[in-house]
């Protein structure tokens, strides 16, 4: 409760890609008679505001001062989804890009059990123009000095460039960092693009790709290689159903099991873990607290389809109280 009160006073700045998550629900009809493909019947579509928008949404009830700097495709009709979801209390400062769409990930979903079949990316991740880079840089430079906590959701879709990385590392009072590996950037978006942070959360595949080591025991690998990747006080590696490991500098300090086996949708679970634990880290929570709170966030998020709703402060508190009785 003391930590929660301190979080309420934080001025939080989110930086990262906006992503529109599109779910197209279908019935599977079977194999096409003339092609080696599965035929489906479209039932309905649902759109969610994901990426940094969802990450910020999870903290809506925790802090009264949240700001987002992101990018949108200029005139993209899907931008209305973001405007519809964002709470008026969150200050949203998008940089509109005229030559590319808002990043959208379209997933074909078997409506019977919400199993995803495949996805299509709508994006342009080629280097931004000098004018666009300058506009993003200036917005971040204007806001970053006033923020108590900077949370960077680096999805690797083109918004965050070298000079911006240097600015973030130099001027953040407290930097919480996640660099995601996904189908659109695999092999090109590692944590070591940043020189330092205060708190880092990445998953096991992201860590192994960055270290180029597939098989070494994870705690041993982290103890030996973590400091070579980035200078960070706290470092958490999430492992899905196996829970998470927390490191203080390069020493294993906490190990926490996953708290649920009821999974509806894993999309955004890692982002929820990262988003919710970042302010706790900034106000002095230890790694046991961070791993517990993060796994609670993950357990609650995997029971939500897409981003139909954000995590709620009162429900998280009740979860913690029930678990600790």
């Amino acid at each position: 409760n003391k930590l929660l009160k301190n979080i309420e006073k934080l001025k939080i700045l989110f930086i990262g890609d906006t992503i529109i998550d599109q779910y197209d629900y279908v019935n599977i009809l079977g194999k096409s008679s003339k092609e080696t493909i599965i035929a489906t019947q479209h039932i309905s579509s649902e759109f969610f505001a994901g990426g940094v928008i969802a990450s910020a949404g999870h903290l809506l009830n925790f802090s009264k001062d949240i700001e987002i700097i992101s990018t949108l495709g200029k005139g993209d009709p899907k931008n209305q989804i973001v405007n519809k979801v964002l709470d008026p209390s969150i200050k949203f400062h998008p940089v509109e890009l005229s030559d590319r769409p808002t990043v959208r990930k379209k997933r074909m979903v078997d409506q019977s059990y919400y199993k995803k079949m495949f996805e299509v990316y709508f994006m342009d991740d080629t280097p931004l123009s000098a004018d666009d880079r300058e506009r993003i840089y200036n917005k971040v430079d204007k806001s970053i000095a006033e923020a108590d906590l900077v949370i960077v959701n680096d999805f690797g879709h083109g918004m965050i460039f070298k000079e911006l990385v240097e600015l973030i590392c130099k001027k953040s009072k407290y930097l919480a960092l996640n660099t995601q590996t996904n189908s659109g950037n695999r092999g090109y978006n590692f944590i070591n693009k940043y020189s330092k942070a205060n708190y880092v959360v990445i998953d096991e595949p992201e860590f192994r790709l960055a270290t180029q080591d597939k098989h070494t025991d994870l705690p041993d690998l982290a103890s030996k290689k973590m400091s070579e990747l980035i200078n960070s006080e706290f470092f958490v590696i999430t492992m899905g159903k196996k829970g998470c490991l927390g490191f203080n500098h390069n020493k294993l300090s906490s190990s926490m099991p996953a708290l649920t086996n009821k999974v509806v949708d894993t999309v955004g679970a890692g982002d929820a873990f990262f988003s919710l634990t970042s302010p706790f880290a900034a106000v002095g929570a230890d790694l046991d607290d961070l791993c517990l709170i993060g796994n609670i966030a993950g357990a609650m998020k995997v029971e939500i389809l897409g981003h139909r709703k954000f995590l709620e402060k009162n429900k998280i508190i009740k979860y913690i109280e029930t678990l600790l009785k």
Side-chain angles (χ1 to χ4, degrees):
N1 288 331
K2 182 178 179 181
L3 292 171
L4 286 168
K5 289 180 180 179
N6 290 333
I7 288 172
E8 290 178 359
K9 305 172 187 176
L10 289 179
K11 182 178 179 62
I12 302 174
L13 172 64
F14 279 88
I15 302 170
D17 298 281
T18 294
I19 299 172
I20 303 298
D21 289 301
Q22 176 179 346
Y23 283 23
D24 283 1
Y25 303 107
V26 300
N27 281 334
I28 297 177
L29 302 177
K31 179 185 175 300
S32 172
S33 59
K34 297 181 181 180
E35 303 283 352
T36 54
I37 58 175
I38 299 297
T40 63
Q41 178 186 8
H42 181 266
I43 303 302
S44 63
S45 297
E46 190 170 8
F47 296 87
F48 308 105
V52 72
I53 305 300
S55 290
H58 294 314
L59 293 187
L60 181 61
N61 302 128
F62 288 85
S63 171
K64 300 175 183 178
D65 197 342
I66 297 175
E67 181 178 358
I68 303 171
I69 297 177
S70 187
T71 56
L72 297 175
K74 187 175 182 179
D76 192 316
K78 298 296 186 296
N79 292 344
Q80 62 180 333
I81 297 163
V82 176
N83 298 327
K84 188 183 298 183
V85 166
L86 271 178
D87 190 274
S89 67
I90 296 178
K91 297 183 283 291
F92 183 43
H93 302 296
V95 175
E96 293 191 330
L97 308 175
S98 58
D99 62 342
R100 60 193 69 204
T102 300
V103 177
R104 176 162 51 101
K105 299 182 181 181
K106 176 180 178 179
R107 297 173 176 91
M108 306 302 292
V109 184
D110 176 5
Q111 73 160 5
S112 299
Y113 296 100
Y114 298 125
K115 298 296 183 183
K116 302 177 192 70
M117 300 168 60
F118 65 91
E119 67 180 329
V120 180
Y121 278 48
F122 296 82
M123 71 174 185
D124 179 355
D125 59 354
T126 57
L128 296 168
S129 68
D131 177 65
D132 288 337
R133 292 198 303 271
E134 183 178 5
R135 289 190 293 142
I136 296 170
Y137 187 98
N138 289 341
K139 278 186 181 291
V140 173
D141 194 27
K142 182 179 179 180
S143 298
I144 198 167
E146 299 177 2
D148 301 306
L149 167 62
V150 178
I151 300 178
V152 177
N153 284 99
D154 189 340
F155 294 97
H157 294 324
M159 174 189 168
I160 298 178
F161 47 92
K162 181 181 178 182
E163 293 81 8
L164 187 63
V165 167
E166 293 171 353
L167 174 68
I168 290 169
C169 291
K170 181 180 179 180
K171 291 197 173 182
S172 297
K173 293 177 184 175
Y174 192 98
L175 175 58
L177 179 61
N178 169 260
T179 55
Q180 187 184 102
T181 291
N182 51 57
S183 303
N185 68 31
R186 193 171 183 85
Y188 296 98
N189 196 50
F190 295 148
I191 193 69
N192 57 0
K193 66 193 282 189
Y194 296 82
S195 61
K196 63 179 181 179
N198 300 95
Y199 176 57
V200 171
V201 177
I202 57 175
D203 66 23
E204 181 177 356
E206 289 162 348
F207 179 71
R208 289 193 179 277
L209 281 169
T211 57
Q212 295 292 285
D213 192 313
K214 187 176 181 180
H215 298 295
T216 300
D217 180 67
L218 187 58
D220 290 342
L221 179 63
S223 297
K224 294 174 182 177
K225 295 290 186 179
M226 192 172 295
S227 60
E228 296 178 12
L229 296 178
I230 187 171
N231 178 17
S232 180
E233 179 183 5
F234 285 165
F235 200 117
V236 175
I237 301 176
T238 59
M239 304 179 295
K241 66 180 180 181
K242 295 184 291 183
C244 67
L245 300 176
F247 296 83
N248 188 337
H249 294 288
N250 63 338
K251 295 181 179 179
L252 180 63
S253 179
S254 183
S255 176
M256 196 73 60
L259 299 175
T260 186
N261 57 10
K262 180 183 176 183
V263 178
V264 175
D265 190 356
T266 60
V267 167
D271 298 332
F273 184 116
F274 170 58
S275 176
L276 196 66
T277 55
S278 292
F280 280 93
V283 297
D286 62 29
L287 275 166
D288 281 339
D289 291 333
L290 297 177
C291 289
L292 175 63
I293 293 165
N295 279 358
I296 288 172
M300 296 177 70
K301 178 63 189 72
V302 296
E303 295 185 7
I304 300 170
L305 185 67
H307 302 291
R308 280 184 175 174
K309 57 183 178 180
F310 300 133
L311 300 182
E312 298 178 29
K313 180 179 177 180
N314 62 336
K315 292 184 178 179
I316 292 170
I317 294 172
K318 288 180 180 178
Y319 197 123
I320 295 173
E321 291 173 342
T322 301
L323 193 65
L324 297 180
K325 283 181 179 179

